[in-house]
Amino acid sequence: MPLSLTEEQTRGLNLEYVSSSRLTWVYIERPTQAEVDFLARHFPQFHSLNLDDVLSRVQRPKIDEYEDHLFLVLHFPVFHKEARITAPSEVDIFVGEDYMVTIHCNGDLKPLSSFFKACQASEEMRRNYLEHSSGYLLYQVLDRLVNYCFPILGKITENIERVEGLTLAQPTVETVREISFIRRDLISFRRVIRPQLAVAELLERGDYPLLRAEEEIYFGDIADHLRKINDGLEDAREMLDILYDTSNWLTSHRIQEIMRFLTIIMALLTPATVLASIYGMNIPLPGGVDKGSPLVLIVLLLIMFSVAAGLLYFFRRRGWL
């Protein structure tokens, strides 16, 4: 028989439940010490360290096996629009023969909360998902959470395509800034997804008594989806690296073109500048206001050409020319 709970027992707690003739699903959102104490009283088989993990926010994804239940710690991505970054949201799951307890630590995973609400509200949903084994219900929860990752991956891909167009059109500082934002988001997403692969592969390959043989193909499907997401993130990372290098090259090329243009202008102005500099001296020169000897002009030109020749020789010796 599944676990029997009453409204009186759960009153005042961030806890809801839904039951069928075969399973009870306990759903906790944003757990506090009160919810952990409730679990300790009604599920004495839960290890105290696992209950401590429920309140901890520094856990890595894992799966712990016990004689009559499994304990899973999983992270799934949630995109924060204000910060423009994907952050991990933790879900802790206890799975027994006739129950499943999900602890939704941040309350921001809509697929999980909406699935539970649907099972609460619909008799058909309870019949479809709670009249099977606990392993099947676990698969349904994980499948929805993993599929929730694809739209986030799609958004990253769209952003990369948009930035690709901006990069090829006219690279600017803002374009490089956009690439940096997307790269940061991509790195954060990868940090969430990669550890989940190990847990999914354990569920796929592991011989857990609670997860019947026919469920293995379902967990294999989840592992395949995570691999696909991971491959998509790798492709996106490579594309971003290419865009970053392309943006740097185009920016460098643009700077070189600007410098080339300025150099041409300087070359055109050089004769006039030299002439103005010479006749701006307080020395009588031929053709000036105070007419002087041509010898003075010749000496000045020899000094200037000697300095230029010395610098040219120095640059060649240094290998700069």
Side-chain angles (χ1 to χ4, degrees):
M1 290 293 293
L3 177 72
S4 178
L5 295 176
T6 64
E7 294 292 335
E8 183 67 28
Q9 293 172 323
T10 61
R11 186 172 299 163
L13 299 175
N14 298 327
L15 183 150
E16 297 178 84
Y17 67 93
V18 58
S19 296
S20 71
S21 60
R22 183 165 184 177
L23 285 175
T24 295
W25 181 2
V26 179
Y27 177 83
I28 299 174
E29 227 179 65
R30 297 182 180 89
T32 64
Q33 188 61 49
E35 285 75 39
V36 172
D37 293 340
F38 172 89
L39 293 177
R41 289 194 306 271
H42 291 82
F43 298 91
Q45 68 272 33
F46 290 175
H47 199 286
S48 59
L49 293 179
N50 294 149
L51 294 175
D52 290 340
D53 291 344
V54 168
L55 296 177
S56 175
R57 294 295 180 269
V58 293
Q59 294 300 311
R60 287 186 58 83
K62 65 176 182 177
I63 177 169
D64 293 338
E65 181 182 10
Y66 297 92
E67 183 177 351
D68 58 352
H69 70 279
L70 299 175
F71 175 65
L72 297 88
V73 176
L74 298 168
H75 292 162
F76 293 95
V78 174
F79 182 72
H80 296 281
K81 292 183 179 180
E82 296 79 10
R84 298 186 60 183
I85 192 170
T86 299
S89 183
E90 183 177 326
V91 178
D92 302 328
I93 304 175
F94 293 92
V95 184
E97 182 67 30
D98 56 1
Y99 64 86
M100 186 173 76
V101 180
T102 56
I103 300 101
H104 189 184
C105 297
N106 298 327
D108 50 6
L109 288 172
K110 294 180 180 178
L112 179 57
S113 58
S114 61
F115 181 43
F116 176 79
K117 296 293 184 183
C119 289
Q120 262 191 331
S122 171
E123 178 67 32
E124 182 180 358
M125 291 286 288
R126 290 195 293 273
R127 185 168 57 251
N128 289 339
Y129 299 112
L130 271 70
E131 292 295 342
H132 298 272
S133 66
S134 57
Y136 181 76
L137 180 60
L138 174 64
Y139 158 72
Q140 292 294 336
V141 168
L142 296 184
D143 184 57
R144 283 164 172 76
L145 290 172
V146 171
N147 288 337
Y148 181 65
C149 300
F150 283 102
I152 303 176
L153 177 60
K155 187 63 177 178
I156 290 177
T157 303
E158 290 178 8
N159 289 336
I160 292 175
E161 292 175 352
R162 175 175 55 83
V163 171
E164 181 182 5
L166 294 175
T167 301
L168 297 177
Q170 186 178 6
T172 61
V173 175
E174 188 63 30
T175 303
V176 176
R177 187 165 177 253
E178 283 295 313
I179 293 175
S180 300
F181 273 122
I182 298 173
R183 173 180 278 182
R184 183 186 65 167
D185 186 27
L186 181 64
I187 292 172
S188 179
F189 198 165
R190 290 179 67 214
R191 286 176 179 170
V192 177
I193 290 298
R194 292 183 68 181
Q196 314 307 313
L197 271 171
V199 176
E201 288 170 352
L202 282 174
L203 289 171
E204 180 185 19
R205 299 193 305 264
D207 184 18
Y208 299 111
L210 287 172
L211 309 179
R212 298 179 180 177
E214 62 266 26
E215 265 80 54
E216 290 179 1
I217 59 171
Y218 294 122
F219 291 118
D221 182 60
I222 290 174
D224 288 341
H225 285 176
L226 285 173
R227 293 186 194 102
K228 185 177 180 180
I229 293 169
N230 190 58
D231 291 342
L233 291 173
E234 287 295 328
D235 293 341
R237 182 183 64 83
E238 292 177 4
M239 188 63 190
L240 270 181
D241 290 341
I242 294 172
L243 284 178
Y244 188 78
D245 293 340
T246 302
S247 177
N248 286 339
W249 183 86
L250 290 174
T251 302
S252 177
H253 179 70
R254 187 183 179 195
I255 292 173
Q256 290 175 4
E257 288 295 317
I258 294 173
M259 293 301 297
R260 179 186 175 190
F261 178 73
L262 293 176
T263 301
I264 292 173
I265 293 177
M266 289 298 298
L268 293 174
L269 294 176
T270 297
T273 303
V274 172
L275 187 62
S277 299
I278 292 175
Y279 279 88
M281 298 179 181
N282 295 321
I283 299 174
L285 296 173
V289 176
D290 298 328
K291 296 183 178 180
S293 170
L295 181 61
V296 177
L297 179 61
I298 293 173
V299 171
L300 285 174
L301 292 175
L302 287 175
I303 293 173
M304 294 172 68
F305 281 118
S306 298
V307 173
L311 289 173
L312 183 63
Y313 175 75
F314 175 75
F315 292 157
R316 286 188 177 276
R317 286 289 304 269
R318 297 286 295 182
W320 295 348
L321 294 175

